[in-house]
Amino acid sequence: MFGRFMPTEGKFFDLFNQHAACMVAGSRELSAMLNDLPNAEARTVAVQNNEKKADRITHETIDLMHKTFITPFDRDEIHKLISTMDDILDLMEDVATAVWMYDVKSVPAEARTLGEICVKCCERVQSTVALLNDMDRARDILKLCEEIDGLESEADRLLRASLSKLFREEADVKELIKQKAVSELLESVTDKCEDVANIIEGIVLENA
């Protein structure tokens, strides 16, 4: 009878999946913004809405963790995972806000490509999180983590090439500062996705 009053483990996986859905939606809005700068304000609001929803899910997850006697894996890992996933949304909000507040009128092709890589990273994080409740799929989970690592490396190379080009070709110092900030923030989204992949790899290695 007591068990009926205890939160179930499955609820954690539902919350992880809900959070990942916000992440993917936010990344798609962010990428769309980079191709639709005249509507940057509306796109920023959309990204912010996803961030706020994800933030509520994060708080719900942490609250559930404190109320649950048996968790699907280590409490510290749950906290690190959901908090780092939330960091991804925070960074995407930072990018969108910077584009809007700095009144960015154009972005180089490299920045738009970085936005597309952010979407791919977030989609793979979502796919990875969706498999966490089935450790028999450990090999598939680790393969997705490797793909996220590869995308982060691609974003890192693209950022270096973009900044090198920017410093050689952009004569307007204010514009240079804007473009540099936006590109670096975009790349930081992929860094944080890699952090999530590393956390998940650790969970798999301990629980598979």
Side-chain angles (χ1 to χ4, degrees):
M1 181 179 293
F2 179 68
R4 287 188 300 165
F5 298 97
M6 295 297 291
T8 61
E9 289 187 21
K11 178 67 173 173
F12 285 101
F13 298 114
D14 290 341
L15 292 169
F16 294 151
N17 288 326
Q18 290 172 33
H19 197 291
C22 293
M23 184 194 316
V24 170
S27 70
R28 289 172 179 167
E29 286 289 348
L30 183 61
S31 182
M33 167 191 273
L34 298 172
N35 292 281
D36 185 27
L37 292 173
N39 292 308
E41 183 175 359
R43 296 289 187 182
T44 298
V45 171
V47 173
Q48 290 172 337
N49 287 340
N50 280 289
E51 190 279 331
K52 289 173 184 174
K53 183 178 178 181
D55 203 39
R56 289 193 294 270
I57 295 168
T58 298
H59 289 301
E60 185 177 351
T61 304
I62 293 171
D63 185 56
L64 179 65
M65 185 178 67
H66 291 305
K67 293 178 179 177
T68 304
F69 182 64
I70 299 175
T71 56
F73 38 87
D74 186 83
R75 294 172 193 273
D76 286 343
E77 291 174 331
I78 291 173
H79 191 277
K80 281 195 300 182
L81 176 59
I82 197 67
S83 297
T84 310
M85 288 172 65
D86 207 48
D87 289 342
I88 295 171
L89 270 297
D90 291 339
L91 284 168
M92 288 193 288
E93 183 181 21
D94 289 344
V95 180
T97 302
V99 171
W100 176 39
M101 287 184 60
Y102 296 166
D103 192 27
V104 175
K105 299 299 186 184
S106 65
V107 293
E110 292 85 356
R112 292 193 294 274
T113 302
L114 281 170
E116 293 167 5
I117 294 174
C118 287
V119 174
K120 291 177 182 177
C121 279
C122 290
E123 288 173 344
R124 281 162 179 76
V125 169
Q126 183 183 40
S127 297
T128 306
V129 167
L131 296 176
L132 271 180
N133 65 339
D134 185 3
M135 284 298 158
D136 290 337
R137 302 285 301 277
R139 183 173 296 179
D140 295 329
I141 295 172
L142 294 176
K143 183 176 183 298
L144 284 163
C145 289
E146 289 178 8
E147 290 178 10
I148 294 168
D149 291 342
L151 286 166
E152 188 281 329
S153 295
E154 181 182 347
D156 193 46
R157 289 191 296 271
L158 186 61
L159 175 65
R160 290 197 299 269
S162 177
L163 293 183
S164 176
K165 179 181 176 183
L166 184 66
F167 278 100
R168 283 197 300 268
E169 298 180 2
E170 182 55 65
D172 186 325
V173 175
K174 284 174 40 176
E175 191 64 25
L176 186 150
I177 292 171
K178 290 181 186 180
Q179 299 291 351
K180 180 176 181 291
V182 170
S183 293
E184 287 178 338
L185 284 169
L186 284 165
E187 198 278 331
S188 70
V189 173
T190 68
D191 286 341
K192 196 58 66 172
C193 288
E194 184 182 37
D195 290 343
V196 169
N198 290 338
I199 292 168
I200 291 174
E201 285 177 345
I203 291 170
V204 169
L205 293 175
E206 287 186 20
N207 295 278

